[in-house]
Amino acid sequence: MLFSWRHQLARMSPRGKAWQPRARCSRLGVEALEDRTVLSFAAVPPSFPTGPDPHAVVAADFAGSGRLDLAVVNEQSNTVSVFPGNGDGAFQPKVDYTVGTDPDALAAGDFNGDGRPDLAVVNLTGSVSVLLNGGAGAFLPAVGFAVPSGSHSVAVADFNGDGHADLVVNHSLLLGNGDGTFQPAHARRQRRDRGNGGLQRRRQAGSRQCRSHRAGIGVGADFARQRRRHLPGSAKLRP
């Protein structure tokens, strides 16, 4: 009886009422799961032969088909290979176009304002070959423009705000005329301090700057002392 009384007391609520266990209800529900697709790559990716010693590649819709095509520069054969895209990750056989000697970089841009991307190929021997898009992904023969020898990079943008695409080849700027031609290259001046001579010039410039700052502080402090000296008496300041 003692055990039964204690057991019943433990089951009493603070208000003295017997505690009644609540029945637990399990409700079944339907949850909508998100439809997901896991992307994967082919075990053996397809390959498309280029020319010998390819150096750079650019992607653009050269044919105007809404599909990306590829252009690759081949240094040993002095050509640029254009691969028309099928839109499914595969490409048609390449079409080669002759450019300058030792091509090393390329970029795509609309150089004549016809809405079709053209190609600019930089050659290490000191030229940039411009190939205008003739439509349907075919290009006209390359036209060369002189740049410093050894140039190996190119960028396309409207740098002077005239609405025409310009070229920057390494440190040279070629302004576009809007018809697929470019003005002579303007080399950007570079300031180079080589060896101890450059370091000495920088130290001398810093020393002169420090002396000028000290002189300015001295004049200001002296002027403040003169003001304090003459403020109680005459308002006239002597130089």
Side-chain angles (χ1 to χ4, degrees):
M1 292 295 294
L2 180 61
F3 173 79
S4 178
W5 177 80
R6 290 182 177 179
H7 181 69
Q8 186 67 18
L9 182 63
R11 296 175 61 87
M12 297 289 289
S13 64
R15 296 183 180 181
K17 298 181 179 180
W19 177 79
Q20 297 294 334
R22 296 181 180 179
R24 295 182 179 180
C25 298
S26 298
R27 297 181 179 179
L28 299 178
V30 179
E31 182 181 358
L33 298 179
E34 182 181 354
D35 186 12
R36 297 181 180 178
T37 302
V38 179
L39 299 179
S40 61
F41 294 94
V44 180
S47 61
F48 306 93
T50 65
D53 197 11
H55 266 224
V57 59
V58 66
D61 183 9
F62 298 119
S65 60
R67 300 185 292 263
L68 284 178
D69 311 312
L70 294 178
V72 182
V73 290
N74 312 298
E75 185 174 5
Q76 289 187 8
S77 61
N78 301 327
T79 59
V80 55
S81 301
V82 177
F83 296 82
N86 296 329
D88 57 356
F91 294 88
Q92 301 177 23
K94 65 182 177 68
V95 179
D96 293 335
Y97 299 90
T98 303
V99 293
T101 306
D102 295 336
D104 194 65
L106 81 167
D110 185 8
F111 303 134
N112 56 355
D114 61 356
R116 296 189 292 261
D118 309 310
L119 286 174
V121 180
V122 177
N123 309 299
L124 294 174
T125 52
S127 66
V128 53
S129 300
V130 175
L131 296 88
L132 297 181
N133 193 333
F139 289 87
L140 302 178
V143 178
F145 299 89
V147 294
S149 179
S151 299
H152 54 81
S153 64
V154 59
V156 180
D158 181 10
F159 295 105
N160 58 350
D162 60 355
H164 306 318
D166 310 314
L167 294 177
V168 167
V169 180
N170 276 38
H171 301 288
S172 300
L173 174 63
L174 292 83
L175 297 178
N177 297 321
D179 57 356
T181 62
F182 294 87
Q183 301 178 23
H186 297 276
R188 186 182 66 179
R189 294 182 179 180
Q190 290 181 317
R191 180 180 179 182
R192 296 181 179 179
D193 293 331
R194 299 179 178 178
N196 295 330
L199 180 60
Q200 185 66 23
R201 287 192 296 271
R202 288 195 298 270
R203 287 179 176 176
Q204 292 177 358
S207 178
R208 289 193 298 269
Q209 185 177 6
C210 291
R211 287 197 298 269
S212 63
H213 285 316
R214 288 196 297 268
I217 293 174
V219 170
D222 182 67
F223 179 75
R225 285 195 297 269
Q226 288 185 8
R227 288 190 59 184
R228 287 194 299 267
R229 184 180 306 118
H230 294 276
L231 185 60
S234 174
K236 183 178 180 180
L237 299 181
R238 291 177 296 178

